[in-house]
Amino acid sequence: MAGWNELLDQLHELADLGAATAILDWDQQTKMPPKGAEARAHQLATLQGIHHERLTSAALRDALEGAETAGDGPAPFRGEAGQALLRETRRIVERGSKLPVPFVKELASASSRAFERWQRARAESRFIIFRDDLARLVDLKRREARYVGYREHPYDALLDEFEPGQTATATAAVFQEIRGPIVALLRAIQASPRQPRREILTQHFPSDNQWAFGLEVLSTMGFDFEAGRQDTSAHPFTTGFSPGDVRVTTRVYENELPVALFGTIHEGGHALYEQGFAPELMRTPLANSPSLGMHESQSRLWENVIGRSSAFWRYWYPRLSARFPEQLSRIPEEDFVLAINHVRPSFIRVEADEVTYNLHIILRFELEVALLEGSLEVDALPEVWNAKMDELFGIVPERDADGVLQDVHWSYGSFGYFPTYTLGTLYSTQLWMALKRVFPDFEDRIARGDVLFIREWLRENIHRHGSTFVAQELLQRVTGEGLNPTHFLGYLRQKFSALYQLVW
Ligand code: ZN
């Protein structure tokens, strides 16, 4: 037990350092005046440096070995939870210490330079400005994969950081299974005579009222405002410092209703996860989701599966149009529901709908894998990007800013991150199937405005466990099966056939 106390002390301090860093980061993105940026960069770097030092220290390794030798920990870390804590600690310690310090520094400076170049390249829509930095990052990422180690593909080592246990081969197989059917569904929707009136959503919607409506939805979802708050930021995000303090952000566009509305519901899904970790896991690596995909399954379940469903708006549309009578009182509910489910090929991933979004991810995944294994040269990237756009969407961007330069991820050196969005989407529809089995009146309850039971079920089955179980194991426990993309395809066909009156 002695080993355990030492380990827990060190893990608590590491978690505190992580939370302090996260608070500074939240503040930077929401409240900090522009002139604070320089000092803030130092403050963040100092805290991150201390965190990394401690994570890779001999003292932590010794404490970990001590606890491993001792076996069972003190409550609540007896049995399963104790083994899980040792597993997670070992995973992050090993990943952290496999990368030599000079390499970590080189990667950090290459990324910060690449980020600045990327911003300029995107503003001017000239790939050539970003080309050398991107090539350097790809090279560094290959080195990182070698340091970390992998069995089959260098991509596995990178994907594993975000989606532990998931491999390139398994991901490619799943993506291959959904690629063709999504393209076929997109073509069928495009051919449908029934098309949404998108202008319903681009009327003027004053921001105060949008904000108030968003808060009403958030609190109905079960977001605890005593344990969190919502603010605005340029890019919406969720961050949690403990289950008792979870921050969400959104942005409000007065002429684009869905941005704040669905942004709020999406981040709300992430936030319920963070508020739902069992209190006894606090200040340990288990107070975390087991993977980014699992976290994203929560936001996508709330935003798309629930928030964009006809059932949801049966309750909420009268309330929304009461807030915006001038804009919506003459618009029938079904026209509104069709408008928020407008499916069309588009260039920009973050603006994409539920059907085409995953094609954007598949495109990026295929390119990342090819870059990492060396079968694709950085020079050929814009051209190959556009060819894949044509193949999947039937459209080709005229400017690189609308194509290969649109996303920030690669400039940060984040390779292996994109697939987690689609994995999360697939998990979300598997959870939806499970919910419908447990609650046969699932849709009726949503249509009556009752969604709290969903939060309760998710909290009991997913949130409270944190990362006690790895993602695939958790999915298996909750849904009775592993990753299975057929549920997502079934969900899409059912939903969009009804909305667009498709005949198959
Ligand atoms: Zn998200």
Side-chain angles (χ1 to χ4, degrees):
M1 207 74 108
W4 269 94
N5 290 335
E6 178 56 30
L7 178 67
L8 287 170
D9 283 348
Q10 292 199 41
L11 290 177
H12 290 160
E13 288 187 5
L14 270 171
D16 294 343
L17 283 166
T21 309
I23 294 169
L24 289 184
D25 184 59
W26 172 85
D27 175 75
Q28 177 166 18
Q29 296 194 55
T30 53
K31 306 285 178 194
M32 189 187 76
K35 288 180 181 169
E38 202 188 324
R40 184 56 49 87
H42 290 299
Q43 294 152 2
L44 285 168
T46 297
L47 278 177
Q48 281 158 350
I50 297 172
H51 188 276
H52 186 78
E53 233 167 67
R54 294 212 174 183
L55 184 66
T56 54
S57 69
L60 181 59
R61 275 189 174 268
D62 290 348
L64 178 58
E65 274 161 28
E68 282 169 342
T69 313
D72 251 3
F77 299 109
R78 292 208 181 91
E80 209 169 38
Q83 290 311 305
L85 184 63
L86 296 176
R87 181 202 72 225
E88 273 304 288
T89 306
R90 182 145 295 280
R91 192 177 71 80
I92 53 177
V93 164
E94 292 202 334
R95 187 158 186 116
S97 48
K98 275 179 182 165
L99 303 178
V101 174
F103 174 81
V104 174
K105 287 190 175 152
E106 192 183 345
L107 185 60
S109 86
S111 314
S112 82
R113 204 181 98 113
F115 175 64
E116 285 183 16
R117 291 295 193 97
W118 166 78
Q119 283 180 308
R120 195 154 70 81
R122 191 169 79 149
E124 296 180 25
S125 193
R126 288 172 60 209
F127 180 73
I128 189 70
I129 297 174
F130 184 45
R131 188 238 163 249
D132 287 351
D133 290 276
L134 183 58
R136 186 150 167 246
L137 280 175
V138 169
D139 192 50
L140 285 166
K141 285 291 159 174
R142 283 205 201 118
R143 273 170 62 197
E144 181 178 324
R146 282 200 296 274
Y147 284 130
V148 172
Y150 54 87
R151 245 178 284 166
E152 275 180 35
H153 197 286
Y155 195 79
D156 296 347
L158 306 181
L159 183 57
D160 195 71
E161 182 179 358
F162 308 112
E163 201 66 23
Q166 185 69 18
T167 65
T169 308
T171 308
V174 167
F175 286 8
Q176 196 55 38
E177 205 173 328
I178 60 176
R179 198 182 201 269
I182 296 175
V183 172
L185 179 63
L186 172 61
R187 302 286 183 264
I189 290 172
Q190 285 179 282
S192 166
R194 185 169 152 79
Q195 291 297 329
R197 292 159 54 203
R198 188 86 193 14
E199 65 277 12
I200 294 170
L201 306 173
T202 54
Q203 304 176 78
H204 184 79
F205 294 92
S207 63
D208 289 0
N209 248 343
Q210 284 198 49
W211 186 263
F213 186 75
L215 292 184
E216 197 184 330
V217 175
L218 256 189
S219 88
T220 307
M221 285 166 65
F223 181 86
D224 178 0
F225 283 92
E226 296 284 306
R229 50 178 290 130
Q230 178 175 258
D231 294 85
T232 56
S233 68
H235 302 284
F237 66 96
T238 300
T239 182
F241 318 130
S242 76
D245 190 354
V246 178
R247 314 288 176 94
V248 290
T249 73
T250 192
R251 55 184 167 188
V252 183
Y253 293 168
E254 294 208 314
N255 295 308
E256 195 69 56
L257 183 69
V259 173
L261 178 56
F262 292 107
T264 297
I265 300 176
H266 181 100
E267 299 307 327
H270 283 304
L272 294 183
Y273 204 155
E274 298 276 326
Q275 288 186 339
F277 297 139
E280 61 268 24
L281 303 181
M282 248 174 80
R283 299 173 78 216
T284 79
L286 293 187
N288 211 334
S289 70
S291 75
L292 286 191
M294 195 50 74
H295 223 306
E296 195 66 12
S297 75
Q298 303 301 296
S299 54
R300 305 247 161 195
L301 176 68
W302 283 101
E303 179 197 347
N304 291 331
V305 180
I306 299 165
R308 292 182 199 267
S309 69
S310 305
F312 184 80
W313 289 101
R314 215 160 302 144
Y315 176 81
W316 283 103
Y317 191 65
R319 283 158 183 82
L320 183 70
S321 53
R323 274 192 193 272
F324 299 104
E326 221 177 284
Q327 296 85 341
L328 296 176
S329 61
R330 282 182 303 278
I331 312 277
E333 183 185 314
E334 61 169 340
D335 289 16
F336 174 81
V337 173
L338 187 60
I340 58 169
N341 286 291
H342 187 189
V343 174
R344 67 202 182 289
S346 64
F347 297 126
I348 307 296
R349 174 185 60 87
V350 296
E351 293 165 9
D353 55 80
E354 251 184 297
V355 175
T356 60
Y357 187 89
N358 299 291
L359 296 177
H360 287 279
I361 298 303
I362 291 171
L363 177 149
R364 285 155 178 75
F365 168 73
E366 292 175 355
L367 294 177
E368 285 187 339
V369 169
L371 283 171
L372 258 290
E373 69 190 16
S375 61
L376 172 66
E377 293 296 326
V378 168
D379 283 319
L381 198 53
E383 194 187 318
V384 179
W385 179 289
N386 290 352
K388 278 192 188 286
M389 279 301 293
D390 196 18
E391 179 195 343
L392 292 168
F393 297 85
I395 54 173
V396 177
E398 282 174 18
R399 309 160 62 240
D400 285 341
D402 296 329
V404 67
L405 289 175
Q406 67 183 272
D407 293 309
V408 68
H409 302 59
W410 291 343
S411 79
Y412 281 151
S414 279
F415 291 80
Y417 190 110
F418 283 122
T420 67
Y421 294 118
T422 290
L423 292 169
T425 303
L426 301 178
Y427 300 155
S428 77
T429 44
Q430 291 188 241
L431 294 175
W432 167 72
M433 293 287 290
L435 273 160
K436 288 201 304 177
R437 271 197 306 273
V438 180
F439 305 100
D441 57 348
F442 181 70
E443 283 188 6
D444 293 334
R445 290 177 79 161
I446 294 175
R448 291 198 304 267
D450 173 14
V451 291
L452 208 53
F453 73 100
I454 301 172
R455 187 201 72 169
E456 291 313 307
W457 186 82
L458 292 170
R459 179 160 288 182
E460 179 58 27
N461 291 285
I462 294 180
H463 303 167
R464 73 182 174 90
H465 298 300
S467 49
T468 303
F469 308 106
V470 299
Q472 295 302 321
E473 190 186 353
L474 183 60
L475 190 68
Q476 181 78 42
R477 286 174 66 105
V478 178
T479 69
E481 59 181 342
L483 181 60
N484 179 353
T486 60
H487 299 301
F488 173 62
L489 293 174
Y491 159 80
L492 280 189
R493 281 200 200 101
Q494 184 191 330
K495 173 173 176 177
F496 289 93
S497 296
L499 283 169
Y500 284 83
Q501 296 167 353
L502 306 179
V503 200
W504 291 87

